[in-house]
Amino acid sequence: IHVINSLGFGGAEKILTFYARFHDKEKYRVEVVSFYPGGEMIDEIERYGVKVHILGTRSSDPRSFFRLKKIFDDRRAGIVHFHNSMPLFTGLPAAIRSHVPVKVMTEHNIYYPGKTGGRLSSAVFLKLRRKLDAVIACSKQVRESHLHNLDPDRLITVANGVDLNQFEPRSVRTSPDSFQIGTVGSLTPKKGYKYLIEAAGILASREIPVMLTFVGDGPLRDELEQQAIRSGMEDSVRFTGATADVNKALETFDVFAGSSLREGLPLVVLEAMASGKPVVTTDVGGNREAVIDGITGLLVPPGDPHALADALEVLWKDGGKREAMGRAGRDRVEQHFSAKKMVAETEKIYESVL
């Protein structure tokens, strides 16, 4: 049973659709628990015959403990797999009380002192995580960032993966009329999107016909829209809202651009590479494990719009390099970052603990 806070748009949430689809059906029956009702990923998970339980309570609500325990007891759970720390608060005590044999968690976020939030880095959550049989880190950098808190022998890297069948590599457009830069993600401060808008303005000042598209939604949308207007970029910056069809959005990009200030290993970078798109992104978290600088894309320092603009300009000027990086990116994802590989490696951890 996978336990997660919610099932809306997001990387960890999409990961659950891969567990639903690619688990070994001869060995495992998979079910999912979400604390919050609703969410775009529910239908996708249930499409693969996986039952979704909705608690309708917060992870800190004492009622969650009793509702989870009942599910674990009724379903005779052999493995409970938590996603990030928040579900541990009532979920892990419930799993312990239900005598669930195997209790693991995937850590999707890199640890940044002072930036990961109050309760997530508190002594309570640290104590809970130390009671787990294994903690799975979604990238090497995520693992290294948590080493000081957890037993290295129980902190295991399993890289994020994507469903390669959902992404078809297409030729990178080389039209001289516009330079289509796109990004996909929640419009939140950690994504550093204000720097991406600044970079687009720098490119426009160099007479590059940039068109920047944001696919996603979030609390900063109004602020980012106003920034585009203030900088005179309102006709060159588009906000399309969230979509479940990331592949269709990626098809329209010449280059995928990321400006995050912190990350674990973002699925959208892997999705862009799977789509044959060159990637320009910040050198944070696990990005450098996916993007090989100069081969599959370009890495730049976080919070530096000029470096971001310079890297994008390199790819604007060289269509051949865009094509070559796109092909190399697809090859790298096929070799190292498939969803099937991720699920199979996780199941090896289950078996080892069992």
Side-chain angles (χ1 to χ4, degrees), residues 150-172:
L150 298 170
D151 178 0
D153 293 334
R154 289 190 291 169
L155 184 54
I156 306 161
T157 302
V158 175
N160 279 346
V162 294
D163 182 0
L164 294 166
N165 294 328
Q166 293 182 352
F167 299 93
E168 182 180 351
R170 299 180 184 274
S171 297
V172 180

Side-chain angles (χ1 to χ4, degrees), residues 111 129-130 140-156:
Y111 176 74
R129 289 196 297 174
R130 286 175 174 168
K140 295 176 183 176
Q141 285 296 315
V142 168
R143 181 181 185 274
E144 289 180 10
S145 75
H146 288 275
L147 274 175
H148 67 291
N149 281 329
L150 298 170
D151 178 0
D153 293 334
R154 289 190 291 169
L155 184 54
I156 306 161

Side-chain angles (χ1 to χ4, degrees), residues 179 203 206 255 279-281 293 297-301 304-317 321 325:
F179 184 31
L203 292 175
R206 297 174 184 175
V255 175
V279 173
V280 173
T281 192
D293 193 31
L298 298 171
L299 294 171
V300 299
D304 189 339
H306 289 278
L308 193 53
D310 290 345
L312 290 165
E313 184 176 5
V314 167
L315 296 185
W316 157 251
K317 291 179 176 178
K321 182 170 286 189
M325 286 182 169

Side-chain angles (χ1 to χ4, degrees), residues 44 126 162 181 188 241 270 290:
E44 177 75 8
L126 180 58
V162 294
I181 301 168
T188 55
L270 302 178

